Amino acid sequence: MHLLMIVTAVTIAWWLRFFGKIPQGNWYLRWQKTLFLFLFPPLLIFMTVTSVVCMGTQGKMGGMYTDSFSYLLALIFLGFFNIFGIKLAFQGWKAIKSARECPQITLDGKSARLLETQALFAGQMGFWQPELVVSQGLLQTLSPVHLESVLAHEQGHYQYRDTFWFFWLGWMRSCTAWLPNTEPLWQELLVLRELRADSYAASQVDPLILAESLLLVVSNNSITSDICCAALGTGDRLEQRIEALLTPPEPIPAAQLPSWRIFLLAFLPLITVIFHT
């Protein structure tokens, strides 16, 4: 019975990922469906194997005896989940430690860390309370008004706690790289994260100035790491961000406000624990 639960959960997760399509529209509507397609499948698998481990190898469920194979399989799943989580946590800790070794400065009345490089960089480093890190090259290249727009964008990341939430989403990405469309959905979330921060910044500064800042940073930047490319955007990503900044924002219908209730369905496997005898 437990093996049937695991197979069912994996089948549902695979089906959702394979047949789910990335929606069109404004960044907000795209965010809601993309997040569901990305997060719900691994959450369902995780809750299923957790419930199997909680029930153990003894007893019956639904009139069927349990076995040690399904229990061992669930333990292997959880073991890999934990290994990936520890690996990401260690990488994050090293990044935070490196950022805190940089000298501290004050920008627009807020503290920041100065990265001594001529490359153009600005980003948040940390977990729930991240620190702003900017490069010397960015401060020397951008005018005060363009720098203000970049800082407003980074404040958007801080406002939405992107460093915190994308740590957990990155964990889900690592755990379910074998599921269909994991990477396309992840890349879409990265783009939408930047569009969301752009939208926040556009409410604080002139969107045209922010678009100009983005182009200046991209054209003068020498950093080619995956993280920076994801943040800045190239090709189609860059076009999406510029177009969104130059287009009047669409109102968000009240009927389509976010709801986390649908994610509660992923916790249904935990209910099976009470039927285990």
Side-chain angles (χ1 to χ4, degrees):
M1 188 65 178
H2 290 176
L3 182 60
L4 179 61
M5 287 176 56
I6 296 175
V7 171
T8 301
V10 171
T11 301
I12 294 173
W14 191 93
W15 184 86
L16 283 173
R17 281 287 189 84
F18 186 80
F19 291 102
K21 301 297 181 183
I22 297 176
Q24 301 299 316
N26 61 40
W27 68 263
Y28 189 86
L29 300 180
R30 288 163 59 191
W31 173 268
Q32 297 304 308
K33 187 170 183 180
T34 302
L35 185 62
F36 171 78
L37 292 175
F38 182 85
L39 184 57
F40 186 86
L43 193 59
L44 178 64
I45 295 174
F46 181 79
M47 290 303 160
T48 301
V49 297
T50 299
S51 63
V52 170
V53 170
C54 289
M55 287 185 282
T57 60
Q58 304 297 322
K60 294 191 299 183
M61 180 179 171
M64 300 175 61
Y65 283 97
T66 60
D67 60 272
S68 57
F69 176 75
S70 57
Y71 179 79
L72 179 61
L73 187 61
L75 279 179
I76 292 174
F77 266 108
L78 289 180
F80 276 110
F81 286 169
N82 290 327
I83 290 173
F84 286 129
I86 293 172
K87 179 182 177 181
L88 286 177
F90 180 70
Q91 292 174 347
W93 174 79
K94 288 201 304 182
I96 295 172
K97 182 180 177 182
S98 177
R100 288 178 177 172
E101 292 175 353
C102 297
Q104 197 167 30
I105 61 173
T106 301
L107 283 176
D108 196 22
K110 298 179 181 178
S111 63
R113 297 286 179 174
L114 180 63
L115 190 62
E116 296 180 353
T117 175
Q118 291 305 308
L120 275 62
F121 174 80
Q124 298 285 343
M125 291 287 185
F127 202 53
W128 183 254
Q129 294 285 348
E131 287 188 282
L132 175 64
V133 179
V134 296
S135 69
Q136 196 171 39
L138 185 78
L139 300 181
Q140 294 173 349
T141 303
L142 298 187
S143 66
V145 66
H146 287 105
L147 181 61
E148 181 187 6
S149 67
V150 171
L151 296 181
H153 172 89
E154 292 305 321
Q155 182 62 29
H157 286 305
Y158 182 88
Q159 183 74 18
Y160 290 111
R161 308 291 182 181
D162 282 338
T163 53
F164 175 81
W165 295 114
F166 270 81
F167 170 81
W168 300 109
L169 292 176
W171 181 33
M172 293 294 101
R173 174 203 183 195
S174 300
C175 294
T176 57
W178 49 274
L179 283 176
N181 293 320
T182 296
E183 195 59 27
L185 289 170
W186 172 253
Q187 296 300 326
E188 177 71 0
L189 284 175
L190 291 179
V191 174
L192 294 172
R193 178 187 67 183
E194 299 307 315
L195 289 173
R196 183 172 66 174
D198 285 343
S199 178
Y200 175 89
S203 67
Q204 310 294 319
V205 298
D206 187 345
L208 181 59
I209 297 297
L210 181 57
E212 291 177 355
S213 302
L214 177 60
L215 290 173
L216 283 171
V217 172
V218 171
S219 61
N220 290 279
N221 200 13
S222 60
I223 298 180
T224 57
S225 70
D226 292 340
I227 295 176
C228 293
C229 288
L232 293 173
T234 56
D236 181 62
R237 290 182 182 179
L238 181 59
E239 291 180 8
Q240 285 188 60
R241 294 184 63 182
I242 297 298
E243 183 179 352
L245 287 170
L246 300 181
T247 303
E250 300 178 19
I252 299 172
Q256 295 178 340
L257 290 176
S259 173
W260 288 91
R261 286 178 294 180
I262 193 169
F263 285 96
L264 294 178
L265 295 175
F267 291 81
L268 286 179
L270 293 177
I271 300 178
T272 61
V273 176
I274 64 178
F275 297 105
H276 182 81
T277 58

